[in-house]
Amino acid sequence: MSSEEDHPDRSQIAHEGVEAGGHRVDAQGFRSRLLAWGRDHVRSFPWRETDEPYRLLMAEVMLHRTQVRQVLPVYERFIVLFPDVAALARASRESVHAVMGPLGLHWRIDLVADMAADLVGRFGGRVPSDREALLSLPGVSDYIASAVRCFSFGLDDALVDTNTVRIVGRVFGLPTKPSSRRNRRFRDLHVALLDRERPADYNYSLLDLGHLVCLSRRAPECERCPLLASCATGAARLAVTA
Ligand code: SF4
């Protein structure tokens, strides 16, 4: 395995394949197998049934460092009480705290209230699609901006988080650590692998593969993984157990 800190230029992104750490992946095969798996396995959540930017933005803020099962009831109540930016901007901070309080991370509740005021004040109550505009909002990280751009506006942003980095690292046999999601080399690999024609389906599939198959706290379930044919780690693990 090569060092994660290698210069990003050493990840050679070729037209027909993506190469890093001495391992080459057929990008088109990777995408088509992942998308085929996603058709049957991508999970359904209320925020995945909409492309409304405000709902996506609120869901992504709530999901930050928080379990989906905690977010579900809070999100559904939140959207009923504050169905759009204007309603949220009119609401008292106390009422927003009352709804989001069960999620913890109370600092983000104030950020949500600040965000609503900012959206009304600077963007006419609409969530912008421009990356820099999104990043200028209180509480919007690079990941949240990319998620809103991809899932609401259909833009081909690659989503890079600890789960997707773990998968990509294992596929190429590259070591990862928590800071790897900010590593340029991993970002380049995510961009090179992304399906630009179906970015939302691709990103949902990759995220859910990390929750259902290429696990974090338990051993990855390579035997049933759609990416096994592309994966350096999967090939090594199955060779050892064969
Ligand atoms: S083959 Fe195994 S290690 Fe590779 S991506 Fe799939 S589950 Fe993860």
Side-chain angles (χ1 to χ4, degrees):
M1 290 187 180
S2 64
S3 162
E4 173 198 345
E5 305 304 336
D6 284 356
H7 191 279
D9 289 348
R10 291 181 58 187
S11 297
Q12 298 164 19
I13 300 170
H15 176 68
E16 69 277 13
V18 181
E19 187 171 328
H23 183 72
R24 183 178 176 282
V25 168
D26 164 26
Q28 198 50 48
F30 180 99
R31 293 173 195 131
S32 59
R33 286 189 292 273
L34 180 63
L35 287 168
W37 177 87
R39 270 197 296 276
D40 296 326
H41 296 90
V42 160
R43 298 172 297 171
S44 174
F45 301 119
W47 49 86
R48 290 187 176 183
E49 307 301 322
T50 180
D51 60 2
E52 210 285 304
Y54 167 72
R55 294 182 180 214
L56 264 297
L57 178 57
M58 291 302 115
E60 291 298 340
V61 169
M62 291 183 199
L63 288 163
H64 175 67
R65 289 167 55 186
T66 309
Q67 301 276 340
V68 167
R69 61 183 163 73
Q70 287 177 274
V71 170
L72 272 168
V74 171
Y75 171 84
E76 298 206 303
R77 182 147 182 259
F78 185 96
I79 291 300
V80 169
L81 292 173
F82 316 120
D84 51 35
V85 174
L88 181 59
R90 281 195 305 270
S92 67
R93 297 225 167 198
E94 291 72 24
S95 63
V96 181
H97 272 269
V99 177
M100 290 184 67
L103 297 179
L105 300 178
H106 289 268
W107 49 266
R108 90 176 133 187
I109 304 174
D110 286 323
L111 287 179
V112 163
D114 292 343
M115 187 191 300
D118 213 10
L119 284 169
V120 169
R122 292 198 293 135
F123 299 102
R126 288 190 297 278
V127 176
S129 62
D130 178 74
R131 166 173 291 281
E132 294 309 315
L134 280 164
L135 288 171
S136 74
L137 293 167
V140 174
S141 64
D142 190 71
Y143 177 89
I144 291 175
S146 293
V148 170
R149 281 166 52 82
C150 176
F151 299 137
S152 289
F153 298 104
L155 298 169
D156 57 353
D157 281 27
L159 292 195
V160 184
D161 76 353
T162 51
N163 288 304
T164 66
V165 163
R166 181 176 65 256
I167 297 170
V168 170
R170 286 172 174 171
V171 164
F172 288 97
L174 300 171
T176 59
K177 54 190 178 185
S179 63
S180 297
R181 67 183 190 280
R182 292 187 291 275
N183 180 286
R184 173 73 186 276
R185 184 186 205 192
F186 278 98
R187 179 162 296 279
D188 286 349
L189 288 170
H190 279 69
V191 169
L193 290 170
L194 176 70
D195 190 310
R196 293 178 184 281
E197 292 178 6
R198 296 175 56 192
D201 290 338
Y202 174 94
N203 280 324
Y204 279 142
S205 298
L206 194 64
L207 289 169
D208 282 1
L209 191 80
H211 285 283
L212 300 173
V213 179
C214 195
L215 306 170
S216 157
R217 294 190 181 155
R218 286 186 283 131
E221 299 183 357
C222 304
E223 302 83 354
R224 63 187 191 91
C225 179
L227 302 183
L228 178 59
S230 305
C231 183
T233 301
R237 290 185 74 245
L238 293 192
V240 168
T241 56

